[in-house]
Amino acid sequence: MTMIPRALKKIIFILLTLTLIGCGKKDTVSVFEASNIQTEEIQLVLPEIARDYRFLYIADLHIIVENDEVSEENTVTVNDRKNLFSSAEGVSGADLWDQYVDVINSYECDAVLLGGDMIDFASRANIEKLREGIEKIKHPVMYVRADHDLMPFYCEGIDETTAKAKHCDIDGNEEIMLLEFDELCVVGINNNTSQISASAVNRVKEIVEIGKPIILVAHVPFKSKVDESLLEKSKEAWQDRNLVCGSECLYWPDANTQQLVDMI
């Protein structure tokens, strides 16, 4: 069984095209470059797979919609963060999301994978903005959250419980998510900025028993058992910090999460 973790989280939002088994670039460049969207294409070769699959992956958009839920004392901070996560041309994450949805719908793919920190904080307005875009996407969507998606940072009048309920209205907000295809499974680990539960570990074990290759999608990448390149990239991007899930890293797994790590 092959399980493949997501690429190292970037400090700015990216649109990443995941391509399995020899998919060409016949429309990747024309569709996205025509919209001035920078892409990175990664090819994963799984010998067991008979046909080509295409997945679009996007994370760390940090959408911020102006609203009255932001406390007065945090207004300057939120404005600074909105500018931080705007494009070089000054387009905000919220406006970029509108553009991305239109482009995504013009592209042929098997699913859209949203990898977390899609919103900067869990205000009702931010969650609603993201939900509206997801509902317009014509492809299957998997949305794994991270801390910024779920926590009402900078807000007043909304708590964590209310924010999670708003997320449940989008897709159920399950701890383990599954998109099953004829030849493979895409499994999402929701909010792996926190430890996972024993029931989540059991659910992953059930999916493994299906017997298909698994692509694992999570916000925080898992420590590689192959080499140190992931740790090196993390230190380079994050001021010498190991922002990965594994022993002696910032996200040090507890007993339950370690069971998941051992399956990778």
Side-chain angles (χ1 to χ4, degrees):
M1 186 61 60
T2 303
M3 303 185 72
I4 304 172
R6 56 153 285 189
L8 179 67
K9 171 184 172 181
K10 301 296 192 298
I11 192 169
I12 59 174
F13 53 85
I14 57 173
L15 187 64
L16 182 63
T17 306
L18 295 183
T19 314
L20 297 185
I21 316 178
C23 282
K25 297 183 179 180
K26 62 179 182 179
D27 59 349
T28 304
V29 175
S30 59
V31 169
F32 290 103
E33 288 192 355
S35 301
N36 198 29
I37 296 174
Q38 182 179 358
T39 68
E40 180 180 355
E41 183 166 311
I42 294 178
Q43 184 178 81
L44 307 177
V45 179
L46 304 181
E48 309 96 309
I49 308 302
R51 78 166 179 89
D52 294 347
Y53 291 82
R54 281 185 169 183
F55 301 97
L56 289 177
Y57 177 92
I58 180 172
D60 298 283
L61 196 54
H62 286 268
I63 291 169
I64 297 176
V65 177
E66 293 185 12
N67 61 86
D68 57 8
E69 294 173 277
V70 176
S71 63
E72 184 176 353
E73 64 187 29
N74 287 313
T75 300
V76 174
T77 298
V78 168
N79 285 335
D80 288 344
R81 291 185 64 79
K82 182 178 180 181
N83 292 331
L84 174 65
F85 292 105
S86 295
S87 70
E89 294 78 20
V91 182
S92 71
D95 291 336
L96 286 169
W97 177 234
D98 291 334
Q99 296 177 24
Y100 283 7
V101 169
D102 291 338
V103 175
I104 287 169
N105 283 335
S106 68
Y107 183 69
E108 295 181 6
C109 66
D110 292 277
V112 177
L113 311 176
L114 304 180
D117 282 356
M118 290 297 294
I119 59 178
D120 194 52
F121 50 89
S123 69
R124 293 179 180 85
N126 288 346
I127 297 171
E128 180 64 17
K129 180 67 174 180
L130 183 63
R131 184 191 63 80
E132 289 174 354
I134 290 174
E135 290 184 349
K136 293 177 182 177
I137 294 175
K138 300 176 182 179
H139 312 293
V141 176
M142 175 183 285
Y143 172 26
V144 297
R145 279 77 166 174
D147 50 351
H148 282 272
D149 300 283
L150 296 170
M151 298 298 293
F153 303 127
Y154 319 116
C155 290
E156 56 186 7
I158 180 171
D159 57 19
E160 186 176 352
T161 300
T162 302
K164 286 185 177 180
K166 295 291 290 183
H167 275 283
C168 287
D169 291 339
I170 296 176
D171 60 359
N173 194 27
E174 296 180 349
E175 191 171 5
I176 302 298
M177 303 174 180
L178 171 65
L179 290 176
E180 184 176 358
F181 298 92
D182 291 340
E183 302 170 294
L184 60 87
C185 292
V186 178
V187 176
I189 309 299
N190 203 14
N191 189 28
N192 80 320
T193 47
S194 299
Q195 307 288 355
I196 68 172
S197 67
S199 60
V201 174
N202 290 333
R203 176 58 179 145
V204 173
K205 291 178 179 178
E206 291 175 356
I207 296 171
V208 170
E209 289 300 315
I210 294 174
K212 298 178 182 179
I214 293 174
I215 297 176
L216 192 62
V217 182
H219 184 72
V220 178
F222 294 93
K223 185 177 180 180
S224 174
K225 298 177 182 178
V226 177
D227 57 36
E228 299 293 311
S229 60
L230 185 60
L231 293 178
E232 292 170 359
K233 288 182 180 296
S234 176
K235 289 181 179 181
E236 180 181 344
W238 292 98
Q239 296 79 49
D240 206 38
R241 291 183 293 167
N242 291 333
L243 296 189
V244 299
C245 181
S247 60
E248 301 181 354
C249 299
L250 180 66
Y251 299 96
W252 195 307
D254 65 6
N256 288 328
T257 305
Q258 187 62 49
Q259 289 187 63
L260 172 64
V261 172
D262 291 341
M263 284 189 281
I264 300 175

